[in-house]
Amino acid sequence: MAEALELQARSLLTAQAVRARAGQMLELGLAGALQHFTIDLDGMDGVAEVVLTVTRKAYPTLDIPFHARWRHFVLGGVDRWARLADAASWPDRAARARSEFDLAIVSVLLDAGAGAAWRYRDAVTGQGIGRSEGLAIASLDMFASGLFSGDARAPFRADAEVLAELPLASLTSAFQVTDANPLLGLEGRADLLRRLGNLVSERADVFGLHDTPRPGGLFDHIAAQATGGAIAAPAILAAVLNQLGPIWPSRLELAGIPLGDCWRHPAIKADDATAGLVPLHKLSQWLSYSLIEPLQRAGFVVTDIDGLTGLAEYRNGGLFVDHEVLRLRDVADAARAHAVDSLLVVEWRALTVALLDRLAELVRAKLGRTPETLPLASILEGGTWAAGRAIAFARRPDGAPPLKVISDGTVF
């Protein structure tokens, strides 16, 4: 019995489960059976056109990279990480990949919503950068300075023992946080990095195969699963969820297994203990997308990119609300703040995942592309995230999402 429960729990730690439960939520919405949203698919073609317009402006040749953390390290046309990494001396490709895993994992865990007020002043340009881009450059500066390294001679690493003891004051200073420059969820971010450090320290069998324990050791764990030099993208997510899952703040568990970014909704049906559970795994999938390129640079072929799903966050979700594909049953909900585990937010996020799949089909049809030549990861980058941000700023001066979610800095 316990073994069956554990298998059921682990089934939720997959992209396949995210897609299936999101699809079920969409079917409920189309049948008029959801509490908070109705759905108007007639607006989808217009959304696809908007996404295409934004994509062509950003990538005129339609040679679109993946939606990944690496995009945010490019500032003013300069790829700052590539410049640092290319100038460094690496003993082999695996060493660079471990370093890039370190950077991606730490940077993504620090990348929850920043709030509208916060800015990071870039030392190179003097520019004040907000939101995800500001968080990215700040985290890259921290990494390059050796803030997370236990070896002053080797700054480009994140050591478990350093992360486990990371003082809140170090992050406060590095993010340039003051009363006049507040950053949402700062304590939650610091706690997450400390949890990461403690977990990695305890699991040297996973994270210390070729080095002292560090998050970048996950590269070796994933690389060992390659078949003929190929790794399927969903296997990256499975490794992230199963190996890093315990770092998330206490949420739902099943058979003692933390389910991460997974929430309750009574309308979701299943014939086992996973009934009523909706996995979304936004940050873990964002991280998985961000681990593809280091694996490729290390010589691996990453397959089944579309095995991962769209990301259930407020830019993609806002795209569908602002274009009125998703409509609130109670318009007053737009003015209220909603807990991340509320039925409204769970519905919104799951519907976003399912609608992104439908939107991808429309975009590909308009361009004559296939999932292989235009994966969902590139449509997100082109794409949906930027279009969601653009309409948010067009509708609201501060670019806030159309719905207010109370976040602890570890979901979005």
Side-chain angles (χ1 to χ4, degrees):
M1 179 65 183
E3 194 174 308
L5 263 183
E6 182 174 338
L7 283 172
Q8 291 167 27
R10 297 228 179 260
S11 75
L12 294 171
L13 302 179
T14 63
Q16 186 180 5
V18 175
R19 183 163 271 122
R21 300 285 163 109
Q24 194 181 141
M25 192 77 79
L26 180 60
E27 293 306 316
L28 288 164
L30 292 172
L34 290 182
Q35 196 171 324
H36 294 285
F37 289 95
T38 60
I39 302 165
D40 180 9
L41 291 181
D42 289 345
M44 287 288 281
D45 192 72
V47 178
E49 288 294 343
V50 166
V51 169
L52 273 175
T53 299
V54 169
T55 300
R56 284 195 171 104
K57 185 176 179 184
Y59 300 99
T61 65
L62 295 179
D63 182 17
I64 311 162
F66 299 145
H67 188 57
R69 195 52 162 164
W70 309 106
R71 309 289 83 77
H72 290 154
F73 297 144
V74 179
L75 196 61
V78 176
D79 186 332
R80 295 203 176 170
W81 169 246
R83 179 174 281 186
L84 288 167
D86 290 347
S89 176
W90 306 101
D92 52 37
R93 290 192 294 183
R96 175 169 173 166
R98 285 181 206 110
S99 187
E100 290 183 334
F101 266 53
D102 277 339
L103 172 57
I105 291 168
V106 169
S107 186
V108 166
L109 291 182
L110 290 172
D111 183 36
W118 179 80
R119 293 289 183 278
Y120 181 73
R121 186 152 298 281
D122 174 42
V124 177
T125 63
Q127 191 181 342
I129 315 163
R131 302 191 181 271
S132 218
E133 291 87 345
L135 293 169
I137 295 299
S139 64
L140 177 59
D141 286 349
M142 294 177 210
F143 187 75
S145 73
L147 180 64
F148 309 117
S149 173
D151 182 351
R153 298 161 301 172
F156 297 169
R157 56 184 293 130
D159 285 296
E161 59 191 19
V162 176
L163 293 171
E165 302 295 330
L166 191 70
L168 178 62
S170 294
L171 276 191
T172 303
S173 171
F175 275 127
Q176 304 172 355
V177 174
T178 64
D179 290 344
N181 191 36
L183 177 64
L184 294 179
L186 183 61
E187 290 186 14
R189 293 168 216 257
D191 184 54
L192 203 54
L193 290 189
R194 287 193 286 264
R195 285 169 174 264
L196 173 68
N198 285 319
L199 174 81
V200 170
S201 293
E202 293 163 6
R203 295 300 308 277
D205 57 318
V206 173
F207 297 99
L209 294 174
H210 292 282
D211 201 343
T212 53
R214 54 192 286 201
L218 191 65
F219 164 77
D220 299 294
H221 175 78
I222 293 173
Q225 300 173 38
T227 304
I231 296 163
I236 302 172
L237 177 65
V240 167
L241 289 172
N242 283 287
Q243 303 307 330
L244 298 179
I247 71 172
W248 299 105
S250 180
R251 294 189 186 130
L252 297 180
E253 289 190 357
L254 183 59
I257 294 167
L259 300 181
D261 184 4
C262 181
W263 313 92
R264 294 195 187 280
H265 195 291
I268 296 298
K269 304 300 181 194
D271 57 6
D272 61 18
T274 68
L277 295 176
V278 184
L280 294 160
H281 305 314
K282 183 265 166 178
L283 269 179
S284 295
Q285 293 209 78
W286 168 233
L287 175 55
S288 298
Y289 280 126
S290 299
L291 298 180
I292 292 173
E293 288 160 75
L295 284 161
Q296 290 174 328
R297 281 191 282 270
F300 293 94
V301 175
V302 180
T303 60
D304 193 17
I305 306 289
D306 265 24
L308 300 178
T309 78
L311 303 180
E313 47 80 50
Y314 62 81
R315 290 304 181 205
N316 288 321
L319 178 69
F320 296 115
V321 173
D322 279 335
H323 283 285
E324 299 184 356
V325 170
L326 293 179
R327 295 179 180 174
L328 289 166
R329 289 189 180 276
D330 181 358
V331 293
D333 275 331
R336 300 182 180 118
H338 305 277
V340 75
D341 63 349
S342 66
L343 291 190
L344 182 146
V345 173
V346 175
E347 287 180 11
W348 181 35
R349 297 181 70 208
L351 290 169
T352 296
V353 170
L355 288 171
L356 285 168
D357 276 343
R358 296 217 176 184
L359 184 63
E361 291 173 8
L362 286 171
V363 170
R364 289 184 192 119
K366 289 174 182 291
L367 294 174
R369 296 288 193 94
T370 65
E372 290 71 34
T373 60
L374 188 62
L376 178 60
S378 297
I379 293 172
L380 295 173
E381 173 59 26
T384 60
W385 193 88
R389 173 183 273 188
I391 193 167
F393 274 97
R395 293 282 179 94
R396 293 166 293 277
D398 63 352
L403 300 176
K404 300 181 180 71
V405 179
I406 303 162
S407 173
D408 64 359
T410 62
V411 177
F412 293 134

